[in-house]
Amino acid sequence: MPHHEKNLQVLIDDSDIAMISWNKLGFDERAAILLHWAQQLPMNIAAMVNFQCANALQYVAKLELMPGPTGETNELYCCGRGVFVVTALKGMTEVAIVGQLAAALVCGNSVLLCIADKKQAEQIKIQLEQLGCIAGVITVVNISDLDALVTHPQTARCCLLW
């Protein structure tokens, strides 16, 4: 494995490990962190975070008990899927980026944040970690690594490329 690919694999593996702890927090605690973050954001961006959290709490956070025909009990629940790549090329609005990020995070996933404005990405990461987001759940990755990330078999994609 070339050195560059090995470094990306370490980032993905570390993000996957952080996702496990993040996912264990549960919807309510993850949403509380994100909603606290939203209070610090401009109103239009905060509205997107609030929207993502409200929808997650209403539609996917609740455990559904499904009794089986032979007396067994099955549970239907939503949990984090893994490591998501959240990206947007230069010129995309912050609302679009934050919407992707909030949707992935509230559902218990970790995120490789790969946007053109690396300074903005670092700022988002720092803000969320200061409010309780587990270290390593958001990893800032250079936009030059985007192709390798979106084709990596261990990542999920949530991309806005236009």
Side-chain angles (χ1 to χ4, degrees), residues 14-26 29-30 108 110 132 134-135 137:
D14 290 348
S15 185
D16 199 33
I17 290 167
M19 174 266 177
I20 294 167
S21 297
W22 178 245
N23 189 52
K24 286 182 182 177
L25 291 180
E29 193 167 347
R30 292 189 305 263
S110 59
I134 293 172
V137 167

Coordinates of all heavy atoms in Angstrom, one line a residue, residues 14-26 29-30 108 110 132 134-135 137:
D14 N -9.4 5.3 12.3 CA -9.6 6.1 13.5 C -11.0 6.7 13.5 O -11.6 6.8 14.6 CB -8.5 7.3 13.5 CG -7.1 6.8 13.8 OD1 -7.0 5.6 14.2 OD2 -6.2 7.6 13.6
S15 N -11.5 7.2 12.4 CA -12.9 7.7 12.3 C -13.9 6.6 12.7 O -14.9 6.8 13.4 CB -13.1 8.3 11.0 OG -14.4 8.9 10.9
D16 N -13.6 5.4 12.2 CA -14.5 4.3 12.5 C -14.5 3.9 14.0 O -15.6 3.7 14.5 CB -14.1 3.1 11.6 CG -15.1 2.0 11.5 OD1 -16.3 2.4 11.4 OD2 -14.8 0.8 11.4
I17 N -13.4 4.0 14.6 CA -13.3 3.7 16.0 C -14.1 4.8 16.8 O -14.8 4.5 17.7 CB -11.8 3.7 16.5 CG1 -11.2 2.4 15.9 CG2 -11.7 3.7 18.0 CD1 -9.7 2.3 16.0
A18 N -13.9 6.1 16.4 CA -14.6 7.2 17.1 C -16.1 7.1 16.9 O -16.9 7.4 17.8 CB -14.1 8.5 16.6
M19 N -16.5 6.6 15.8 CA -18.0 6.4 15.5 C -18.6 5.5 16.5 O -19.8 5.7 16.9 CB -18.1 5.9 14.0 CG -19.5 5.5 13.7 SD -19.8 3.8 14.0 CE -21.5 3.7 13.5
I20 N -17.9 4.5 16.9 CA -18.5 3.5 17.9 C -19.0 4.2 19.2 O -20.1 4.1 19.6 CB -17.6 2.4 18.1 CG1 -17.4 1.5 16.8 CG2 -18.1 1.5 19.3 CD1 -16.2 0.6 16.9
S21 N -18.1 5.0 19.7 CA -18.4 5.8 20.9 C -19.5 6.8 20.7 O -20.4 7.0 21.5 CB -17.2 6.5 21.5 OG -16.2 5.5 21.9
W22 N -19.4 7.5 19.6 CA -20.4 8.5 19.2 C -21.8 7.9 19.1 O -22.8 8.4 19.6 CB -20.0 9.2 17.9 CG -20.9 10.3 17.4 CD1 -21.6 10.2 16.2 CD2 -21.2 11.5 18.0 NE1 -22.3 11.3 16.0 CE2 -22.1 12.2 17.1 CE3 -20.8 12.2 19.1 CZ2 -22.6 13.4 17.4 CZ3 -21.3 13.4 19.4 CH2 -22.2 14.1 18.5
N23 N -21.8 6.8 18.4 CA -23.1 6.1 18.2 C -23.7 5.7 19.5 O -24.9 5.7 19.7 CB -22.9 4.9 17.3 CG -24.2 4.3 16.8 OD1 -25.1 5.0 16.3 ND2 -24.3 3.0 17.0
K24 N -22.9 5.3 20.5 CA -23.4 4.8 21.8 C -24.0 5.9 22.6 O -24.8 5.6 23.5 CB -22.3 4.1 22.6 CG -21.9 2.8 22.1 CD -20.8 2.2 22.9 CE -20.3 0.8 22.4 NZ -19.2 0.3 23.2
L25 N -23.8 7.2 22.3 CA -24.4 8.3 23.0 C -25.9 8.3 22.8 O -26.6 8.7 23.7 CB -23.8 9.6 22.5 CG -22.4 9.9 22.9 CD1 -22.0 11.3 22.3 CD2 -22.1 9.9 24.4
G26 N -26.4 7.8 21.7 CA -27.8 7.8 21.5 C -28.3 9.1 20.8 O -27.6 10.1 20.8
E29 N -28.7 12.6 23.0 CA -27.5 13.3 23.4 C -26.8 13.8 22.2 O -26.3 15.0 22.2 CB -26.5 12.3 24.2 CG -25.4 13.1 24.8 CD -24.6 12.2 25.8 OE1 -25.1 11.2 26.2 OE2 -23.5 12.7 26.2
R30 N -26.7 13.1 21.1 CA -26.1 13.6 19.9 C -26.9 14.9 19.4 O -26.3 15.9 19.0 CB -26.1 12.6 18.8 CG -25.1 11.4 19.1 CD -24.9 10.5 17.9 NE -26.1 10.0 17.3 CZ -26.6 8.8 17.6 NH1 -26.0 8.0 18.5 NH2 -27.8 8.3 17.1
G108 N -25.5 9.1 14.2 CA -24.5 8.3 14.9 C -23.3 7.9 14.0 O -22.5 7.1 14.4
S110 N -19.6 8.8 11.9 CA -18.5 9.7 12.0 C -18.4 10.3 10.6 O -18.9 9.8 9.6 CB -17.2 9.0 12.4 OG -16.9 8.0 11.5
G132 N -18.9 19.0 22.9 CA -19.1 17.6 23.4 C -19.1 16.6 22.3 O -19.2 15.4 22.6
I134 N -17.4 13.9 20.3 CA -16.3 13.1 20.6 C -15.1 13.3 19.6 O -15.4 13.4 18.4 CB -16.7 11.6 20.6 CG1 -17.6 11.3 21.8 CG2 -15.5 10.7 20.7 CD1 -18.3 10.0 21.8
A135 N -13.9 13.5 20.1 CA -12.8 13.7 19.3 C -12.6 12.6 18.3 O -12.8 11.4 18.6 CB -11.5 13.8 20.1
V137 N -14.6 12.1 15.7 CA -15.9 11.9 15.0 C -15.9 12.7 13.7 O -16.4 12.3 12.7 CB -17.1 12.1 15.9 CG1 -18.4 12.2 15.1 CG2 -17.2 11.1 17.0

